[in-house]
Amino acid sequence: MADQKQALITNLQKADQAVKSQIDADPTLPQTEKDRQKAAIDRGEAQTMGQISVAADATAAKQVANTGTTTNQKIYVPGQTITGDSGQAAQFKVQVTDQSAIVQQAIDAAATKGQITANQQINLTQQLQRVVSAAQAAGTAATTADQLLTANQKLTNDLTSVQYNLAINIASYQLLVAYNGADQAINDDPTLSNQEKAEQAEIVNVRWNTGQQSLVAAKTVDEVDQFTSDTVAAINQVHHGGQPVDERMQSYTAKIQASAAQAVAQINQDKSLSPTGQAVIVEAVQNNRDWYLHELQGLKASLRPKQWSKTI
């Protein structure tokens, strides 16, 4: 009885090994699928061997062995053929065409929107064409599923590289648009003084430079998009209007009057001056005060808001 069971186990193992050899030799299966099928056979074999060992008699043991052998043979399922119109290689080539078309559409759309230059469009298209040519050649040369998997992974990486370069070009454009827009808004703002314009423009410049440095450090398209979004938002937050001209007039008028009043008070308290001397100097201060106030009113009446903001 024991010898019969051992013979059944040996035959089971030989049959399973024959199936696993078929799997290993099958070019239509990638290695991961080969490993999965062989592991399933090993599990079935172990289960069948255990059932043989506890079988009540030789007949039961043989029945278990036959069932186990048949079950394990069914585990092996070949893949789709590599060649032919509907083979794996042909399907891969269709994938190359479809995926590259999506990237080309993105390149052309960016050019239409003015987000990339004509030269950048040409360079990106040429890069994409090289990717497509290499992938199609790999598909033609492939004789195994693993070779096609390798070609597919390379295709994915190469298309990602094209998309990354496109994203960098678009990001540079978007940062420049944000920079120019903020700079123009600051320069055209009549409520800002020259000093205030210079200060805001410097902040814009710093944030633009920081954004450019972030793009250099970006490793993925998602990082490029995030850095771009953050930088554009930061640049757009810089410009804010200043004090309106009328309010500035009131402020400067008050300052002139206060300065004049302070000077008059100091003159009147100066005991080294005679009353006549005090009166002469006070009159001079008040004349200066009136002259400055008159000049302010004249500027307000004669200058446009933009000229006024530059003057003050």
Side-chain angles (χ1 to χ4, degrees):
M1 179 77 156
D3 291 342
Q4 290 176 317
K5 288 184 177 181
Q6 184 57 51
L8 290 172
I9 289 174
T10 299
N11 290 336
L12 172 69
Q13 291 173 327
K14 288 181 179 179
D16 288 345
Q17 184 56 52
V19 177
K20 290 193 287 186
S21 295
Q22 282 183 285
I23 293 173
D24 282 331
D26 190 340
T28 69
L29 295 175
Q31 190 60 49
T32 52
E33 178 59 18
K34 291 179 180 180
D35 293 341
R36 188 194 68 78
Q37 292 188 16
K38 289 190 296 182
I41 290 174
D42 288 339
R43 290 192 298 271
E45 181 179 284
Q47 181 179 5
T48 301
M49 288 170 58
Q51 292 172 341
I52 291 173
S53 297
V54 299
D57 52 44
T59 300
K62 184 176 182 180
Q63 183 178 1
V64 168
N66 290 339
T67 300
T69 299
T70 301
T71 299
N72 283 350
Q73 288 175 338
K74 292 180 180 179
I75 291 175
Y76 168 42
V77 179
Q80 193 168 9
T81 59
I82 301 298
T83 58
D85 292 341
S86 60
Q88 294 185 46
Q91 291 181 3
F92 171 69
K93 290 182 178 181
V94 171
Q95 179 184 339
V96 172
T97 300
D98 292 344
Q99 292 184 359
S100 63
I102 294 173
V103 178
Q104 185 65 62
Q105 288 172 2
I107 293 172
D108 294 341
T112 300
K113 295 176 183 177
Q115 295 174 323
I116 60 175
T117 66
N119 284 338
Q120 288 172 333
Q121 181 185 19
I122 292 172
N123 291 336
L124 288 167
T125 298
Q126 290 176 342
Q127 181 185 358
L128 179 61
Q129 289 172 344
R130 290 193 294 270
V131 170
V132 171
S133 296
Q136 294 286 9
T140 299
T143 58
T144 69
D146 277 328
Q147 290 174 347
L148 286 172
L149 279 179
T150 299
N152 185 62
Q153 185 58 56
K154 186 176 187 306
L155 171 66
T156 299
N157 293 339
D158 290 347
L159 289 178
T160 298
S161 178
V162 178
Q163 292 170 317
Y164 173 83
N165 291 337
L166 172 61
I168 287 291
N169 288 336
I170 293 176
S172 296
Y173 166 81
Q174 290 174 332
L175 292 189
L176 186 60
V177 168
Y179 177 93
N180 289 336
D183 188 65
Q184 190 67 43
I186 292 168
N187 187 63
D188 290 346
D189 192 336
T191 69
L192 295 176
S193 67
N194 284 343
Q195 180 178 351
E196 290 168 337
K197 290 181 178 182
E199 290 171 350
Q200 292 190 22
E202 177 59 23
I203 295 174
V204 169
N205 190 57
V206 169
R207 293 186 179 182
W208 180 79
N209 282 324
T210 300
Q212 293 285 12
Q213 293 169 5
S214 297
L215 290 182
V216 172
K219 303 300 182 184
T220 66
V221 172
D222 287 342
E223 287 182 357
V224 171
D225 291 343
Q226 187 62 56
F227 289 148
T228 303
S229 177
D230 292 346
T231 302
V232 169
I235 290 175
N236 289 340
Q237 291 171 358
V238 175
H239 172 235
H240 56 275
Q243 191 178 27
V245 171
D246 286 341
E247 292 181 11
R248 289 180 189 267
M249 279 289 298
Q250 295 173 6
S251 175
Y252 291 140
T253 298
K255 287 179 180 179
I256 292 172
Q257 291 173 336
S259 296
Q262 182 180 8
V264 169
Q266 290 175 343
I267 293 168
N268 289 333
Q269 292 175 4
D270 190 345
K271 301 304 181 181
S272 66
L273 295 173
S274 66
T276 301
Q278 288 177 336
V280 171
I281 298 174
V282 167
E283 183 181 3
V285 170
Q286 292 173 337
N287 287 339
N288 281 334
R289 176 201 62 194
D290 293 343
W291 183 87
Y292 281 116
L293 292 176
H294 179 268
E295 287 297 307
L296 282 177
Q297 291 300 322
L299 285 173
K300 180 181 179 181
S302 63
L303 298 181
R304 294 177 301 172
K306 185 175 182 180
Q307 293 172 316
W308 168 255
S309 70
K310 288 187 175 182
T311 301
I312 60 176

